[in-house]
């Protein structure tokens, strides 16, 4: 089993920045990649960014390209997403998820999920 814990969410004004962290524990050797998803009230859960564990490949939703940066520290079993130039549209619960098979924009292949952390961007 893999356990994921997100942290770093909070309230920020439009144009501000936050950095979210995702700490993994348990059977982390089984992880192929990690993705960040978000879900706003009344909306479907959507892919934000992803990164492979053993390569530099990164993936971003069009809505966050140029503003968000995903990174990792494998020694700490931690994945980060730096979020700059935040907009009210970024307001959502952000989830960290781990896949043992592939990185995709669909939530379905991700077997492990964190509890979520709230990000609220005020106008």
């Amino acid at each position: 089993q893999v356990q994921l814990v997100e942290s770093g969410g909070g309230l920020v004004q439009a144009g501000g920045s936050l950095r979210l962290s995702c700490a993994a524990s348990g059977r982390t050797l089984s992880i192929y990649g990690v993705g960040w998803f978000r879900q706003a009230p009344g909306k479907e859960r959507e892919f934000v960014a992803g990164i492979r564990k053993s390569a530099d490949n990164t993936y971003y939703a069009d809505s966050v390209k140029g503003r968000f940066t995903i990174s990792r520290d494998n020694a700490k079993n931690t994945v980060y997403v730096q979020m700059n130039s935040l907009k009210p549209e970024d307001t959502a619960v952000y989830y960290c998820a781990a896949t043992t098979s592939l990185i995709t924009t669909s939530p379905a292949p991700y077997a492990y999920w964190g509890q979520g952390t709230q990000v609220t961007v005020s106008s």
Side-chain angles (χ1 to χ4, degrees):
Q1 296 294 315
V2 174
Q3 296 80 44
L4 304 173
V5 179
E6 304 98 331
S7 62
L11 175 64
V12 65
Q13 290 186 332
S17 299
L18 286 172
R19 188 179 75 160
L20 305 183
S21 299
C22 173
S25 60
R27 299 179 181 179
T28 58
L29 291 177
S30 67
I31 297 174
Y32 176 83
V34 173
W36 285 95
F37 292 78
R38 66 187 183 186
Q39 188 165 22
K43 296 184 179 180
E44 297 288 332
R45 187 167 298 188
E46 66 174 347
F47 175 82
V48 175
I51 189 169
R52 283 185 56 189
K53 179 181 179 180
S54 301
D56 293 331
N57 305 66
T58 57
Y59 312 89
Y60 297 95
D62 288 341
S63 59
V64 306
K65 285 181 179 178
R67 300 189 298 122
F68 290 13
T69 303
I70 190 169
S71 62
R72 67 175 186 269
D73 186 340
N74 285 346
K76 297 181 179 180
N77 284 320
T78 301
V79 174
Y80 308 92
V81 58
Q82 177 68 42
M83 307 187 297
N84 298 327
S85 301
L86 283 163
K87 306 174 181 179
E89 306 93 274
D90 297 317
T91 296
V93 176
Y94 283 71
Y95 297 91
C96 177
T99 173
T100 61
S101 58
L102 77 164
I103 296 174
T104 179
T105 58
S106 172
Y110 294 82
Y112 307 102
W113 293 82
Q115 82 289 346
T117 185
Q118 176 71 48
V119 172
T120 302
V121 184
S122 63
S123 60

